[in-house]
Amino acid sequence: MLPAKTPLEASGFKALLSNRPFLFLWTGQVLSQIADKVLLVMSIALLTTYNIPERYTASSSSYLMVASTIPAILFGAAAGIFVDRYPKKKIMVIADVTRGSLILLLAILPKEFIFLILITFAISTVTQAFAPAEQSAIPLVVKPENLLTANALFTSSTMGSIIVGFAIGEPILTAVTNISKNGSREVLVALLYFVAAGLGQLVKVQEKIDPNQHPHRINPWHELKVGFDYLRSNKIVLNAMLQLAVLFSTIAALPVLSIKLTAEVGLKPEQFGFLVAPLGIGLVLGAGILGHFGNRLNQKSLPLIGFIGMGIVLAIFTFINNLLLGVFCAGILGLGASLIAVPMQTLIQERTPESMRGKVFGFQNNAVNIAVAVPLVVAGPLTEMFGLQPVLWGMSIIVAVAGILAWSSTRYVLEEAIQNESE
């Protein structure tokens, strides 16, 4: 039985900031996330220094993106098998050290395009094990009553690292290149991963891995079937995972659609970031509010509010021709997204037994990656075929319907999960 909460433990973020294992885990996550984004900026910049066959020159950045995306689709679910078998802390540390080492290889290998593609593929493959291990580790270092706040903080830092990583990526890489042109960029990004690994090593995790629950030999197909059967029998977890997939699919489509929206609000296509950045800020703000006041919102059907709010904003976007209104609506869209992402992630963690978390989060990672990839492929062509407004209306209806279905299937369980924050 957990001890009664002290006033400090009951005060949201303060409870987490006094939890040293969580602080090490969270800080390491922030550094890894920033390293991921700076790595992407660096990889695109490296294309100008590599020998690229002429037939690949025009689409070199696309090939780079494909090399980064394919492992997420192929290995996302399978990675969860290893996460359930081995200590999460060890997996995260090894993943960070491996990614850092692979980046250092770029500094010494010949500047051939094939090596950049192979290293990118390898780094993305290793990342597939890191993601479910990290999500599985959060409940191991945080008490159940603080889990919603912890996920709010992780969501905030994830979105914040996207903004910070892309913002500082080019300037900081340029600065180190001016100091030294020989591998300095690779060393910098690798160092971020190595520091994250050091912080991960400091995390004290009390983890129980029962060898009797796993056969000595790994049978991937059998273990994937076990994970799938668990999801099929646990409708609450499966529904929450599907909601996250719908959410991330919607968010992934917005950068593509925002390029078209720029013309409506008087911006150039390359200035689409003015509409995307407020979405991230809104999500960070919403996650922060949930983390601090989540225990007072136990009577609210948060996913319903989030989905319906996002649906309304998407519909409003069809009428927007003013930049300030567009920025405001993008922020509200991010705020609504936080009301879905944080509670649903908390719900999955609470309702999944420790022995199954790796497989479940592996499936989640796979589903989200596929959900993100689909709109990147179809949003542009659909907009060309039907126009921007019909696509936005279609997304608005889909998101609103998803909200109603989410509310009808998970509201009681979700309210119980959030109620734990105040008990």
Side-chain angles (χ1 to χ4, degrees), residues 32 37-38 50 52 62 72 87 95 113 128-129 143 159 182 196 219 234 272-273 298 304-305 372 385 394 400:
S32 289
K37 308 310 174 290
V38 177
Y50 273 65
I52 304 175
S62 297
F113 186 52
Q128 304 319 306
K143 293 182 178 181
M159 293 305 301
N182 297 322
N219 185 334
N234 193 322
F272 72 95
N298 56 296
L304 176 65
I305 297 172
V372 167
M385 290 174 59

Side-chain angles (χ1 to χ4, degrees), residues 168-417:
I168 70 171
E170 195 279 331
I172 196 172
L173 291 172
T174 300
V176 297
T177 304
N178 291 335
I179 298 173
S180 173
K181 297 184 181 298
N182 297 322
S184 57
R185 292 179 291 189
E186 292 88 341
V187 171
L188 171 67
V189 180
L191 185 61
L192 289 174
Y193 282 118
F194 290 146
V195 174
L199 290 169
Q201 187 62 37
L202 295 174
V203 177
K204 294 183 179 180
V205 179
Q206 294 183 351
E207 182 177 2
K208 298 178 182 178
I209 299 178
D210 186 358
N212 297 323
Q213 290 186 337
H214 306 289
H216 181 68
R217 295 182 59 186
I218 296 178
N219 185 334
W221 294 114
H222 170 73
E223 299 212 26
L224 286 175
K225 183 178 182 298
V226 170
F228 183 77
D229 288 343
Y230 171 79
L231 288 176
R232 189 170 56 181
S233 64
N234 193 322
K235 301 299 183 183
I236 294 296
V237 172
L238 179 60
N239 184 280
M241 192 179 297
L242 292 176
Q243 290 177 53
L244 288 174
V246 172
L247 171 64
F248 282 101
S249 181
T250 304
I251 291 177
L254 292 176
V256 180
L257 299 177
S258 64
I259 295 175
K260 295 287 184 180
L261 274 170
T262 53
E264 303 293 330
V265 297
L267 295 174
K268 299 176 182 179
E270 60 268 24
Q271 295 177 308
F272 72 95
F274 281 99
L275 295 177
V276 175
L279 177 116
I281 295 172
L283 207 156
V284 170
L285 177 63
I289 293 172
L290 276 177
H292 196 71
F293 299 106
N295 59 332
R296 304 179 189 179
L297 303 175
N298 56 296
Q299 300 300 320
K300 307 295 183 182
S301 190
L302 299 179
L304 176 65
I305 297 172
F307 274 119
I308 296 298
M310 290 181 68
I312 292 173
V313 171
L314 287 170
I316 293 175
F317 265 124
T318 62
F319 304 105
I320 288 178
N321 56 11
N322 179 274
L323 176 59
L324 289 178
L325 183 58
V327 168
F328 175 76
C329 286
I332 297 299
L333 201 67
L335 188 65
S338 69
L339 301 183
I340 305 163
V342 175
M344 288 298 99
Q345 193 65 61
T346 302
L347 188 60
I348 294 173
Q349 289 172 342
E350 287 188 334
R351 294 283 161 165
T352 303
E354 184 176 335
S355 61
M356 290 294 297
R357 283 179 186 148
K359 285 186 277 290
V360 168
F361 287 120
F363 275 114
Q364 177 185 320
N365 192 37
N366 205 353
V368 168
N369 281 312
I370 294 173
V372 167
V374 170
L376 294 178
V377 175
V378 304
L382 286 176
T383 304
E384 294 294 334
M385 290 174 59
F386 302 106
L388 179 61
Q389 289 189 348
V391 171
L392 285 172
W393 274 112
M395 288 178 60
S396 173
I397 293 171
I398 291 172
V399 168
V401 170
I404 295 172
L405 293 176
W407 174 74
S408 63
S409 60
T410 61
R411 66 171 186 168
Y412 297 114
V413 179
L414 179 59
E415 286 175 2
E416 178 186 335

